[in-house]
Amino acid sequence: MIDNFCLFWLKYVEPNLNDTTFMADHMTADIMKSWRGVAFEEVCWQHITQILKALEIGGVKSTFSAWAVKGNDGHTGAQIDLLISRADNVVNLCEMKFASTPYTIEKDEADKLQIRIESLKETLTAKQTVHLTMVTTYGVAYGKHSGIVQKQVTMDDLFV
């Protein structure tokens, strides 16, 4: 059984019970931003069926996994939050991002996403294609680098 509140409590609150200013001092700190991202990823993993429905691929046989490849001197490493490998030879590379507004993809983020796509393509067959799929709280903001995204899933899609 997974309880996201218990995970939060055990990781952040319980170790700091004697620190009366912990919540006030840390709610906007990087540690809390990191936790919100981890918690959002966990919620996404708990709602795979809804993600498939939002992508309109619920009837396609699929497998799910996280994926990572270590970097070395000649190759940049990559980590992917969720891969959906489909029987129709499409692989959804799902990047999960928590944000309090529509998520903006800046140039450095677009470059990182492109590296992940290329690293993944090296492991696929010639028949398989990759669709970059952003799973975000409020969607992807339109901008200079948003065109890299083929599919979007929002938090609202997870709770239908």
Side-chain angles (χ1 to χ4, degrees), residues 55 92-95 97 103-105 109-110 113-114 117 130-136 139-153:
L55 294 172
N92 290 87
L93 183 162
C94 299
E95 183 68 17
K97 294 291 184 184
Y103 185 74
T104 300
I105 300 174
E109 180 73 11
L113 291 169
Q114 194 60 49
I117 291 167
V130 175
H131 286 185
L132 177 60
T133 304
M134 295 297 293
V135 183
T136 65
V140 175
Y142 177 78
K144 185 175 182 179
H145 303 286
S146 61
I148 193 172
V149 178
Q150 277 102 2
K151 297 283 187 175
Q152 293 186 53
V153 177

Side-chain angles (χ1 to χ4, degrees), residues 16 47 51 62 68 70 76 95 106 122 131 134 141 144 146:
N16 296 289
H47 291 85
I51 291 173
S62 304
K70 289 188 179 200
T76 303
E95 183 68 17
E106 301 291 344
E122 290 175 8
H131 286 185
M134 295 297 293
K144 185 175 182 179
S146 61

Side-chain angles (χ1 to χ4, degrees), residues 67-84:
W67 185 81
V69 62
K70 289 188 179 200
N72 56 38
D73 292 338
H75 193 271
T76 303
Q79 179 269 325
I80 297 171
D81 297 331
L82 170 64
L83 284 181
I84 303 172

Side-chain angles (χ1 to χ4, degrees), residues 5-160:
F5 179 77
C6 287
L7 293 173
F8 169 76
W9 183 270
L10 293 171
K11 175 129 177 105
Y12 295 102
V13 179
E14 190 171 274
N16 296 289
L17 283 176
N18 294 329
D19 182 351
T20 57
T21 63
F22 174 77
M23 292 305 278
D25 292 346
H26 292 90
M27 284 307 289
T28 59
D30 287 341
I31 195 166
M32 293 307 295
K33 289 178 186 176
S34 175
W35 172 253
R36 286 190 288 266
V38 169
F40 183 69
E41 286 182 24
E42 195 63 42
V43 168
C44 292
W45 274 96
Q46 294 168 6
H47 291 85
I48 294 286
T49 302
Q50 290 85 353
I51 291 173
L52 296 176
K53 183 177 178 184
L55 294 172
E56 299 178 340
I57 58 170
V60 179
K61 184 177 179 181
S62 304
T63 59
F64 322 101
S65 66
W67 185 81
V69 62
K70 289 188 179 200
N72 56 38
D73 292 338
H75 193 271
T76 303
Q79 179 269 325
I80 297 171
D81 297 331
L82 170 64
L83 284 181
I84 303 172
S85 299
R86 300 164 27 187
D88 60 0
N89 287 320
V90 174
V91 178
N92 290 87
L93 183 162
C94 299
E95 183 68 17
M96 300 170 188
K97 294 291 184 184
F98 176 88
S100 56
T101 60
Y103 185 74
T104 300
I105 300 174
E106 301 291 344
K107 182 183 180 342
D108 64 327
E109 180 73 11
D111 292 344
K112 288 177 189 176
L113 291 169
Q114 194 60 49
I115 289 169
R116 290 176 185 146
I117 291 167
E118 295 306 318
S119 294
L120 178 60
K121 282 182 177 180
E122 290 175 8
T123 69
L124 302 177
T125 67
K127 291 181 181 181
Q128 292 176 297
T129 187
V130 175
H131 286 185
L132 177 60
T133 304
M134 295 297 293
V135 183
T136 65
T137 42
Y138 299 105
V140 175
Y142 177 78
K144 185 175 182 179
H145 303 286
S146 61
I148 193 172
V149 178
Q150 277 102 2
K151 297 283 187 175
Q152 293 186 53
V153 177
T154 67
M155 182 171 53
D156 287 342
D157 295 320
L158 301 180
F159 297 99
V160 291

